[in-house]
Amino acid sequence: MTAGRTCAAIAGAFIVLATLSACTASSPNPVSPDEAPSAPTTTTRVPRLVDESDRPLVAFDPCLDIPDDVLAAAGYDPNSEDNADFAATHYTMLGCSYDGTLKIPGVAAYGLTVMSANFDWAVELQKSADNGDEVVRTDVADRRALLKTNQSLPESCDMSVETSYGVLLFGLVLFGKGGARVPEAQWCTGLEDTAERIVTVLDDFESRTR
């Protein structure tokens, strides 16, 4: 990770193994209670923000858990990270934004925001309907997903992916060259690939922290 980013790791469970010498019937070698192996322990990281609801804690923190090399491979600068958390009473959204680095025809600049939320899939579907989003239902790494655009928010594209604790949200914003508007066919350029790369990290994260 770069020096400019906050690094954190999920503490794992450590098991102390006691090595016992061979025993015979005539020379037993019992293990005393003080020498017995200690029980496994698990430490759960407390999210940077916690709401007042009974929703699940936001387990995956984009600002802490997405490796720099994954961001770079997707075409974003890890050093440009900017906090995008959103704190509310009834739900939590942890996130960070990044500047794009790849050259895209007709695009002067672009940026990505990744947010991890603890509202469920039904809430995300209703939110998309209320916003009047144009939605394409799809899947990313065998998870339910939505690809979303909205004519009232041109030059942008969103993607929602279901998680074990809520929803992982991706937002892509483009800026056309010379003030020209980016064609609608390019609004979602590269977003599905980026989401898949990061969801692969999420898969590994969830398998390690179950």
Side-chain angles (χ1 to χ4, degrees), residues 149-161:
T149 56
N150 195 308
Q151 293 299 319
S152 66
L153 298 169
E155 298 180 295
S156 65
C157 183
D158 296 311
M159 191 159 205
S160 310
V161 180

Side-chain angles (χ1 to χ4, degrees), residues 25-152:
S26 60
S27 179
N29 186 25
V31 178
S32 70
D34 291 339
E35 296 173 340
S38 59
T41 58
T42 301
T43 302
T44 301
R45 182 181 66 199
V46 177
R48 292 181 291 108
L49 293 176
V50 178
D51 57 59
E52 299 174 15
S53 75
D54 59 358
R55 298 179 187 276
L57 296 179
V58 177
F60 183 78
D61 188 336
C63 308
L64 304 178
D65 298 320
I66 304 175
D68 285 358
D69 60 342
V70 172
L71 288 166
Y76 296 91
D77 179 9
N79 294 316
S80 68
E81 182 178 275
D82 190 24
N83 186 276
D85 293 342
F86 184 82
T89 303
H90 301 298
Y91 60 87
T92 300
M93 299 173 72
L94 301 179
C96 278
S97 297
Y98 307 91
D99 295 334
T101 58
L102 302 179
K103 293 183 178 179
I104 303 173
V107 176
Y110 62 101
L112 174 74
T113 299
V114 186
M115 302 191 78
S116 194
N118 63 348
F119 48 78
D120 62 25
W121 192 246
V123 171
E124 175 62 11
L125 290 172
Q126 187 60 54
K127 181 165 64 72
S128 296
D130 293 344
N131 291 339
D133 295 331
E134 297 176 27
V135 176
V136 176
R137 295 187 182 230
T138 182
D139 64 85
V140 174
D142 296 324
R143 296 172 184 260
R144 289 190 292 184
L146 305 175
L147 188 66
K148 305 184 294 183
T149 56
N150 195 308
Q151 293 299 319
S152 66

